[in-house]
Amino acid sequence: MGGSWPSFFDIGQSRVLPWSRRPQAAALLAAMADPDHGFDAIVVGEYERAFYGDQYAAMAPLFGHYGIQLWTPEAGGRVDFHAEAQEQLMLALGFQSKREITRTRIRVRTAMAAQAREQGRYLGGRPPYGYRLADAGPHPNKAHAAWGRRAHRLEPDPHTAPIVRWMFAQRKAGHSLARITRALNDAGIPCPSASDPKRNTHRSGRAWTLITVAAILANPRYTGRQVWNRQPSDFDLVDPANTGPGHRQVQRWNLPDGWVVSNRPAHPALLSEADFIAVQQMSAPRGPAGLATRRYLLAGLICCATCGRRLESAWSNGRPAYRCRHGYTSATQPDPTRAKNTYIREDQITPHLAALAVLLDGQEHIHTHHDHQPGQVTAPARAAELIDDLRSTGRTLTYDPRCRTLRTDTEDAIAVTIGRSR
């Protein structure tokens, strides 16, 4: 056969991704859509690498639309898009491909959990701040060792390990996370992403933050134990309204009961287990009225008129309240030119929900409340119903501390004035 035909082969791309998200497969789709594509058939060398799950069912109509034939070894040649038996074969092969991926994922995760628990093996990823990677000899897998791969372990970093010990000592002494963060920034100590920019290209590296300090003080690997599965990979739909683009990989923090901890120390510790536990207990809620009893009826429903951010929930003097620090935190240096914090108690808002309900009735009738008197809406049960209605309709309330008004985000904004604190 004369002439040369284009080839499309994705390297390093998971078959889980739909064709539109694989570079070479997407290029093939674009070539198919070109009226002058110059070919009338696609030959797939290995079906499992081309179609995953029900991808064939999504692609077959496209092949037919552009008049492109599909040839696979499993079908013995050309695939008949209209033959029920061949369609069932193609779908069965796709789900077999999916089963192969699922089984491999389970085997790999089971093996990694055993290696972390029984051997304390370092399983990759960025080393925690305070540690650096050291050579641990040939890879324990003979095949990988033959390829020249080496095993690694954690060892204290002489520059950053003292900083970690100091942070734990400060926290154990009773200092707040904000105070520790300010001290680190005031001393000009580079934050983790600035200390290791090559492994943290996705971070700015400008300064220490409360979240960074809290994450370090909550990391049990500083006790010398190897810990795996603290932040496992998961998959979310790219677009919940359209499942065609498939899933994207995300990482979420796991609960402690899902962690895999080595049975014995795997690397030099930066502090004792007793000190680590003591620091964790300092962050636990105290007394009978802990965090579990706190309830914020309006969480996520109030925006700041000054900066547009949503107000964060804040417990103040035994009562729920909401505040906005306009992007500043207690870990940053005070700036006399910035706007004052916005602050409003929940019990200053709830008495005005009835007025908002009545005014909103003039625009969009709030169901379930039309047969109640406005005064009844202020009762806790009625207020909860109104708040549920705000959540279900996607409305928010905007609080302006300058004129002490609370307004809706409807097309014709409705505002009520909130009185002074009593």
Side-chain angles (χ1 to χ4, degrees):
M1 179 179 292
S4 60
W5 303 99
S7 61
F8 300 86
F9 189 81
D10 279 304
I11 300 176
Q13 298 293 324
S14 173
R15 73 185 77 171
V16 175
L17 296 175
W19 279 38
S20 60
R21 294 176 58 200
R22 304 186 214 172
Q24 288 295 305
L28 175 56
L29 292 176
M32 287 169 47
D34 184 355
D36 300 324
H37 47 244
F39 59 91
D40 59 5
I42 296 174
V43 179
V44 174
E46 190 173 355
Y47 183 90
E48 289 83 355
R49 299 295 182 264
F51 300 104
Y52 168 90
D54 60 353
Q55 288 179 359
Y56 169 81
M59 296 301 302
L62 197 60
F63 297 145
H65 175 76
Y66 290 117
I68 302 295
Q69 301 175 15
L70 178 66
W71 291 61
T72 69
E74 292 80 2
R78 178 183 175 182
V79 177
D80 186 348
F81 299 139
H82 304 290
E84 183 178 352
Q86 291 204 0
E87 181 179 9
Q88 291 177 353
L89 172 63
M90 295 296 104
L91 292 175
L93 290 171
F95 285 106
Q96 178 179 321
S97 174
K98 181 177 181 179
R99 178 174 175 267
E100 178 184 330
I101 290 289
T102 303
R103 290 186 62 192
T104 300
R105 184 180 294 126
I106 293 174
R107 288 198 301 267
V108 169
R109 289 184 60 83
T110 302
M112 293 179 72
Q115 291 167 357
R117 183 185 300 108
E118 305 298 334
Q119 304 172 16
R121 188 185 300 182
Y122 173 75
L123 298 175
R126 296 192 302 272
Y129 179 79
Y131 285 104
R132 64 184 182 185
L133 292 181
D135 185 83
H139 197 282
N141 185 300
K142 294 182 179 180
H144 288 259
W147 299 335
R149 293 181 178 175
R150 310 285 293 179
H152 295 90
R153 59 180 175 83
L154 297 176
E155 69 175 15
D157 186 306
H159 301 290
T160 57
I163 306 300
V164 174
R165 295 190 182 99
W166 177 85
M167 292 168 63
F168 274 95
Q170 292 295 302
R171 185 58 175 154
K172 187 180 178 184
H175 297 301
S176 68
L177 298 181
R179 182 172 180 177
I180 296 172
T181 306
R182 282 198 303 270
L184 291 168
N185 287 326
D186 290 345
I189 297 173
C191 64
S193 54
S195 300
D196 192 3
K198 292 183 179 179
R199 289 193 180 93
N200 295 275
T201 56
H202 60 299
R203 302 185 185 278
S204 65
R206 289 181 296 180
W208 287 86
T209 65
L210 283 170
I211 294 177
T212 302
V213 172
I216 290 175
L217 295 177
N219 193 341
R221 297 174 81 181
Y222 294 115
T223 64
R225 303 274 181 172
Q226 188 60 269
V227 184
W228 178 75
N229 205 40
R230 289 186 69 216
Q231 197 176 15
S233 298
D234 201 355
F235 295 91
D236 283 349
L237 284 171
V238 174
D239 182 3
N242 177 18
T243 59
H247 295 75
R248 59 184 175 88
Q249 184 171 310
V250 296
Q251 286 187 312
R252 292 189 175 90
W253 288 106
N254 210 351
L255 296 175
D257 59 1
W259 300 353
V260 178
V261 183
S262 61
N263 294 332
R264 58 183 181 275
H267 49 263
L270 298 188
L271 72 155
S272 67
E273 293 186 6
D275 286 346
F276 179 80
I277 293 173
V279 168
Q280 307 315 303
Q281 291 176 340
M282 293 188 65
S283 301
R286 300 176 180 178
L291 293 176
T293 64
R294 298 180 180 180
R295 185 186 181 195
Y296 301 92
L297 296 176
L298 300 169
L301 290 179
I302 309 176
C303 293
C304 175
T306 303
C307 66
R309 293 179 172 85
R310 290 182 188 264
L311 271 63
E312 61 184 12
S313 304
W315 200 256
S316 177
N317 297 321
R319 293 182 292 185
Y322 305 92
R323 68 181 180 186
C324 181
R325 294 180 285 186
H326 317 303
Y328 293 86
T329 70
S330 54
T332 56
Q333 287 288 348
D335 183 359
T337 62
R338 74 177 181 91
K340 293 183 178 180
N341 291 348
T342 297
Y343 178 85
I344 182 71
R345 295 200 317 268
E346 188 173 275
D347 60 7
Q348 293 175 304
I349 299 175
T350 50
H352 300 275
L353 294 180
L356 282 175
V358 172
L359 294 172
L360 285 171
D361 275 339
Q363 293 182 342
E364 297 179 22
H365 188 72
I366 300 180
H367 301 289
T368 75
H369 297 310
H370 62 280
D371 56 348
H372 295 294
Q373 295 298 322
Q376 294 176 299
V377 183
T378 59
R382 300 304 181 194
E385 291 177 6
L386 178 59
I387 292 166
D388 288 342
D389 185 83
L390 291 174
R391 294 189 189 281
S392 64
T393 56
R395 292 194 184 103
T396 57
L397 306 175
T398 299
Y399 175 64
D400 190 339
R402 294 165 295 186
C403 52
R404 301 188 63 82
T405 58
L406 192 68
R407 68 174 186 270
T408 64
D409 65 353
T410 52
E411 183 176 354
D412 296 326
I414 297 172
V416 295
T417 301
I418 296 178
R420 295 284 178 182
S421 304
R422 293 187 298 272

